[in-house]
Amino acid sequence: MKLKLDLDDLANDFFEDTRLAGIVAPLKSYQFCWNLNHLLHFDFRINNDIEIQLQKKQRSYYFSVFEYREPVGSLVHYLYNNQYDGEYLLPEFRHLDFLWLMKGDTVPDAFFQQIIDSVKTINGVQLVMELTNEKIKNKGHLIF
């Protein structure tokens, strides 16, 4: 008997009860996280254990992931770098610098909109938009 991993099921399970925002902000990731932490009173920290590694053109590309766990409840925030050395984590969104995934608990529309509005106030942020699952072609790249 041969077992087969169904990547579509894996992606659907991973993205259940998630919200994803795309951010255009030509800032270094540590600067952007510092701004988020300062503005929102979060504590984003880099998590090297869930860094995303992609193999393309016989090279390895590493996309850092920053993590913040809400002190109450089970909501976790993940901030992905979308670019590394000329490659993109989500090539269909080349214009985005960061991807913000909220996972682990239901994210109410009002809370999500409040986050988007707050991020827009950071100097250097040019665009913040919600990304729906249907728009993402390479969902598997976000799974750690």
Side-chain angles (χ1 to χ4, degrees):
M1 181 169 142
K2 194 175 191 180
L3 296 177
K4 184 180 174 191
L5 183 62
D6 188 341
L7 296 178
D8 289 335
D9 282 349
L10 182 65
N12 289 336
D13 288 347
F14 183 83
F15 286 100
E16 191 172 330
D17 286 332
T18 62
R19 298 294 287 267
L20 183 65
I23 302 164
V24 177
L27 302 169
K28 298 281 186 196
S29 55
Y30 64 87
Q31 291 173 313
F32 186 58
C33 283
W34 183 89
N35 281 303
L36 290 175
N37 290 341
H38 184 72
L39 177 68
L40 301 170
H41 305 290
F42 281 9
D43 190 22
F44 272 107
R45 301 280 174 138
I46 195 162
N47 186 338
N48 293 320
D49 293 336
I50 58 176
E51 178 179 72
I52 307 294
Q53 178 185 354
L54 295 180
Q55 297 283 349
K56 289 184 178 183
K57 303 174 193 164
Q58 298 174 343
R59 285 191 58 201
S60 293
Y61 296 92
Y62 301 91
F63 299 90
S64 55
V65 181
F66 294 80
E67 179 180 29
Y68 168 65
R69 295 183 177 275
E70 294 267 347
V72 178
S74 56
L75 185 63
V76 184
H77 302 263
Y78 299 100
L79 187 70
Y80 299 79
N81 264 334
N82 191 39
Q83 301 178 37
Y84 177 81
D85 199 23
E87 285 296 327
Y88 298 89
L89 186 59
L90 294 182
E92 62 270 30
F93 295 110
R94 291 176 181 267
H95 62 288
L96 299 177
D97 297 303
F98 299 99
L99 306 161
W100 185 335
L101 178 72
M102 298 175 202
K103 177 178 175 48
D105 204 352
T106 303
V107 179
D109 290 338
F111 176 74
F112 188 71
Q113 190 59 50
Q114 180 183 356
I115 294 284
I116 287 175
D117 293 342
S118 295
V119 172
K120 286 179 180 177
T121 68
I122 295 173
N123 267 351
V125 172
Q126 299 169 359
L127 174 73
V128 183
M129 59 186 260
E130 181 169 11
L131 303 176
T132 58
N133 287 342
E134 300 80 41
K135 293 181 183 177
I136 305 169
K137 294 177 189 167
N138 295 290
K139 286 181 192 173
H141 292 182
L142 299 176
I143 298 173
F144 44 82

